[in-house]
Amino acid sequence: MSQKVKTKKFFNSNFTTTISISMVLFLVGVITLLTLAARGATEYVKENINFTIVLNDEVEDLELTKLENRLSSASYVKSYRSISKEEALKELERELGESPEDFLGYNPLQASYEVFVKAEFANKSEMSKIVKEISSYEVVKEVVYQENVVDSINTNIRNVSIVLLCVTLLLLVVSIGLINNTIRLQLYSKRFLINTMKMILKHCISWQIL
């Protein structure tokens, strides 16, 4: 076999190996990015789930301070914000395009707190416990949260996670297949060299025995 043919085969073998390893590294990178992106997106969506604490009329400042202290120390609270009756009226006016106070003669809204929960508590079971606990406070008139939205978000997240898991498993199978084929190709391309080395090793062992 001429030197030119040997060089060509060697180049083709190395080129195939390089491409295969590059594909494996690319797929590993894709898997890592998918996992990180899915985790970040899941936490972001869940931590945007919130509920509203509607307060009773004529709540004293001391009672509000106690409620805020409870919210600040609660393990499930990520953040919260206070909404006064006036702020609630302005927000509703922006949405409706007119103020309810103009035709009712008074502000029908009440002061409230908008509370955002941590990702690990953003599910139906935990939310039910939280709502039950907060509803027992004397200053609280009612706790409003969209149970159907919480269920829908968790269902969609679960479905997306299953899809990502399937894609990840598929990419892992492809990666393993590429590595396996690369090893097989390398062994096949070096089969004559391996057999030659085996024969040399066998002869060396025989000479040492003699």
Side-chain angles (χ1 to χ4, degrees), residues 13 16-29 31 170-188:
S13 175
T16 302
T17 301
T18 302
I19 292 296
S20 299
I21 294 174
S22 298
M23 288 297 295
V24 170
L25 293 175
F26 173 76
L27 291 173
V28 170
I31 292 170
L170 178 62
L171 290 177
L172 284 173
V173 170
V174 172
S175 299
I176 293 170
L178 284 171
I179 293 173
N180 183 56
N181 288 336
T182 300
I183 294 172
R184 285 177 177 273
L185 284 171
Q186 284 296 306
L187 289 174
Y188 182 78

Side-chain angles (χ1 to χ4, degrees), residues 40-53 70-81 113-134 143-147 149-151 153-154 157:
T42 298
E43 289 188 1
Y44 175 79
V45 171
K46 285 189 172 183
E47 289 183 349
N48 274 276
I49 293 175
N50 62 76
F51 60 89
T52 302
I53 302 173
R70 285 176 172 177
L71 292 176
S72 298
S73 61
S75 59
Y76 53 81
V77 175
K78 180 178 182 291
S79 63
Y80 68 88
R81 72 184 184 100
Y113 283 88
E114 187 177 24
V115 183
F116 293 87
V117 299
K118 294 179 181 178
E120 58 267 30
F121 294 94
N123 58 72
K124 185 177 180 180
S125 175
E126 293 294 338
M127 289 292 289
S128 297
K129 294 177 184 177
I130 293 169
V131 170
K132 185 177 180 180
E133 176 190 338
I134 295 178
V143 179
V144 180
Y145 88 103
Q146 296 178 323
E147 184 177 344
V149 172
V150 175
D151 285 341
I153 288 174
N154 281 287
I157 288 174

Side-chain angles (χ1 to χ4, degrees), residues 85-148:
K85 295 181 66 170
E86 291 73 21
E87 289 173 336
L89 182 64
K90 288 179 181 178
E91 289 182 7
L92 184 60
E93 185 177 352
R94 281 195 298 269
E95 293 177 4
L96 298 178
E98 59 180 341
S99 176
E101 193 174 21
D102 293 339
F103 55 87
L104 290 176
Y106 67 96
N107 183 356
L109 304 178
Q110 292 163 297
S112 62
Y113 283 88
E114 187 177 24
V115 183
F116 293 87
V117 299
K118 294 179 181 178
E120 58 267 30
F121 294 94
N123 58 72
K124 185 177 180 180
S125 175
E126 293 294 338
M127 289 292 289
S128 297
K129 294 177 184 177
I130 293 169
V131 170
K132 185 177 180 180
E133 176 190 338
I134 295 178
S135 298
S136 65
Y137 300 162
E138 292 182 1
V139 296
V140 177
K141 181 178 181 180
E142 64 175 330
V143 179
V144 180
Y145 88 103
Q146 296 178 323
E147 184 177 344
N148 292 335

